[in-house]
Amino acid sequence: MEENKKMVSKLIARGVLRTESIIKAFENVDRKDFCVDEHKELAYIDRPLPILAEQTISQPTTVALMTEAIRPSKGDNVLEIGAGSGYQAAILAEIVKPGKVYTIERIEELAKFAENNLKEYTNVEIIHGDGSKGLEEKAPFDCIIVTAGAPKVPEVLKKQLNVNGRLILPVGKNTYTQRMKLIINKKEGFEEIDLGSFAFVPLIGKHGFKNN
Ligand code: SAM
């Protein structure tokens, strides 16, 4: 846990982590607990790491940046698409509790991995399925975070945002580099903010890339 704290201190020093509740969540969630055994010793380096099924746990800087951008707060209703290891969901769950986090994962093996890693979190629900369609039955959401790269912003996700709700996702036509988009559902319409260039595994599904 000492090493995790050092990782968090570096993110604070670089100005990536700024909000007290988010900093606390990063301190409480040990990244090592979400890495596979063969990569646990690399848990605190600022890199994405392989998990299962050729997928990755995102880089700490990216998790911090996306979390800060969607401004989650206590009581929020949150949707994550791309549970992976469950690390991002755990961070969000710490911040919004007693609010809920729904996290969708398309690969069954990973949904189980995330479920196991998140078993102490009573305010997280892991769903195995295609998250590109969102989760209409639990909408509206205060925050929607997509941790896989989409070819374009799925309209269906915008429709599941609360007023003033925030959607963040990497968007790009090619499967391995994207622009990070923050979309805010303002009363007067959707505001879209570009947060720079990123590299994510692809979002595969009805409103993502086709699986071939
Ligand atoms: N947020 C994760 C974490 O904290 O470990 C990292 C996510 S990883 C970069 C992207 C994940 O998105 C992969 O596990 C992948 O299987 C998943 N994914 C891709 N398309 C999806 C879809 N349509 N619905 C749900 N999950 C999807």
Side-chain angles (χ1 to χ4, degrees):
M1 208 60 175
E2 221 19 68
E3 290 296 305
N4 193 70
K5 266 216 153 140
K6 275 193 208 157
M7 178 192 86
V8 177
S9 302
K10 284 185 199 158
L11 292 168
I12 297 168
R14 285 175 43 229
V16 187
L17 278 179
R18 298 177 300 275
T19 307
E20 203 182 317
S21 60
I22 301 179
I23 292 170
K24 219 182 235 168
F26 270 80
E27 286 174 346
N28 288 346
V29 179
D30 193 336
R31 190 171 187 249
K32 193 176 186 179
D33 296 340
F34 295 82
C35 295
V36 290
D37 287 345
E38 55 269 47
H39 296 304
K40 280 196 193 292
E41 80 276 16
L42 300 175
Y44 309 112
I45 63 166
D46 197 21
R47 292 276 161 80
L49 294 172
I51 41 175
L52 306 172
E54 294 172 14
Q55 304 301 313
T56 53
I57 176 172
S58 303
Q59 181 175 356
T61 293
T62 305
V63 179
L65 184 140
M66 290 177 84
T67 308
E68 287 279 356
I70 54 169
R71 295 184 286 107
S73 61
K74 190 174 170 175
D76 276 358
N77 190 37
V78 176
L79 174 66
E80 182 193 21
I81 297 157
S85 68
Y87 179 63
Q88 173 77 74
I91 300 271
L92 291 166
E94 290 269 342
I95 300 163
V96 305
K97 69 187 167 203
K100 275 207 88 164
V101 177
Y102 299 91
T103 183
I104 311 180
E105 174 53 57
R106 70 175 275 271
I107 300 175
E108 192 173 9
E109 184 187 11
L110 275 173
K112 285 188 181 140
F113 181 60
E115 192 159 49
N116 191 46
N117 293 340
L118 289 163
K119 53 180 182 284
E120 281 164 31
Y121 290 85
T122 51
N123 61 330
V124 181
E125 196 174 311
I126 299 112
I127 298 152
H128 171 226
D130 176 10
S132 73
K133 299 183 270 190
L135 193 62
E136 182 59 48
E137 63 271 32
K138 301 293 181 186
F141 296 102
D142 301 295
C143 308
I144 303 180
I145 179 164
V146 185
T147 60
K152 58 183 182 10
V153 181
E155 286 299 314
V156 66
L157 297 185
K158 288 164 78 172
K159 290 196 184 118
Q160 292 178 23
L161 281 176
N162 229 333
V163 177
N164 286 323
R166 285 84 57 201
L167 160 67
I168 192 163
L169 77 167
V171 180
K173 288 266 175 255
N174 96 34
T175 30
Y176 281 92
T177 70
Q178 306 90 16
R179 302 293 300 182
M180 188 69 75
K181 302 283 182 189
L182 173 67
I183 289 145
I184 307 170
N185 185 18
K186 295 203 162 160
K187 270 202 205 104
E188 58 276 18
F190 289 100
E191 182 185 354
E192 190 173 306
I193 302 165
D194 186 303
L195 297 176
S197 187
F198 287 79
F200 275 81
V201 294
L203 180 79
I204 295 170
K206 185 171 181 207
H207 301 286
F209 290 95
K210 303 290 160 248
N211 195 12
N212 45 32

